[in-house]
Amino acid sequence: MAELTIDLTYAAALFEAAREIGKKDEIMENATQVLEIIRENPDLHAFINYPAISAKEKKTALTNIFGEEVCEEFLNFLFVLIDKGRTTHLEKIIKVYKGLIDKEEGYSYGTVYSVVPLDESRLSELEKDVSGLLKTNVRLTNEIDPKLIGGIKILVEGKIIDASIRKKFDDLESQIILN
């Protein structure tokens, strides 16, 4: 639970600062870029999270690596994480930060379950349809569920839209039992 508080506290601080200076999207892009580089370089990941390395050494290294690539404000945010020993939380903080941006912009996230992968055009079509139905902007990810037999099932913020063949069989079964 404490980790959630840490992630939310730092993400909210970053979000408020970014909003004040009009750099929410730029900082999100910077964060995505930095996270990708850190994921691709396990040595860099280990370096910034290793407690025996001084904060000064870490800051110098990050300045050399990212100084020209990211805005000053995001680099300073990384320095704060280093000073406070919170670099291991970076990925979760950025995830929460993205959620705060999406919430402000009115986006909800959901999952569409299908038997086979859906192409981008079908996914976009479903996002548009579900957004209209739920009266909110919805972004969907696709997950495979072979138990469906056919059709799709969509889950968005606790709401289920079930257009699967499995659901139709279950409905038919309950009608037969009731009669």
Side-chain angles (χ1 to χ4, degrees), residues 81-143:
L81 294 180
I82 289 168
D83 288 338
K84 300 294 183 182
R86 303 290 192 205
T87 54
T88 57
H89 292 263
L90 179 61
E91 191 164 348
K92 291 177 186 173
I93 291 168
I94 299 308
K95 184 177 179 180
V96 173
Y97 176 80
K98 182 175 181 358
L100 292 170
I101 290 174
D102 290 341
K103 184 177 180 183
E104 183 179 74
E105 294 176 355
Y107 281 98
S108 295
Y109 283 90
T111 305
V112 57
Y113 298 93
S114 60
V115 178
V116 295
L118 302 176
D119 62 22
E120 287 299 317
S121 64
R122 180 67 176 133
L123 204 55
S124 294
E125 188 179 304
L126 287 170
E127 286 175 343
K128 183 180 173 189
D129 293 345
V130 173
S131 293
L133 185 66
L134 299 178
K135 307 282 190 269
T136 185
N137 294 317
V138 176
R139 292 184 178 162
L140 297 171
T141 56
N142 184 211
E143 288 189 23

Side-chain angles (χ1 to χ4, degrees), residues 29-42:
E29 288 172 22
N30 289 174
T32 303
Q33 179 184 10
V34 167
L35 284 175
E36 187 176 321
I37 290 169
I38 290 172
R39 280 188 202 119
E40 291 173 358
N41 296 284

Side-chain angles (χ1 to χ4, degrees), residues 126-176:
L126 287 170
E127 286 175 343
K128 183 180 173 189
D129 293 345
V130 173
S131 293
L133 185 66
L134 299 178
K135 307 282 190 269
T136 185
N137 294 317
V138 176
R139 292 184 178 162
L140 297 171
T141 56
N142 184 211
E143 288 189 23
I144 306 305
D145 184 356
K147 295 178 190 170
L148 290 178
I149 305 172
I152 59 170
K153 183 167 53 173
I154 301 171
L155 177 64
V156 178
E157 292 187 355
K159 297 174 183 85
I160 297 175
I161 302 167
D162 197 340
S164 66
I165 292 175
R166 168 70 60 205
K167 171 74 169 135
K168 290 178 183 174
F169 282 148
D170 292 344
D171 290 347
L172 183 62
E173 179 185 29
S174 63
Q175 285 178 358
I176 292 170

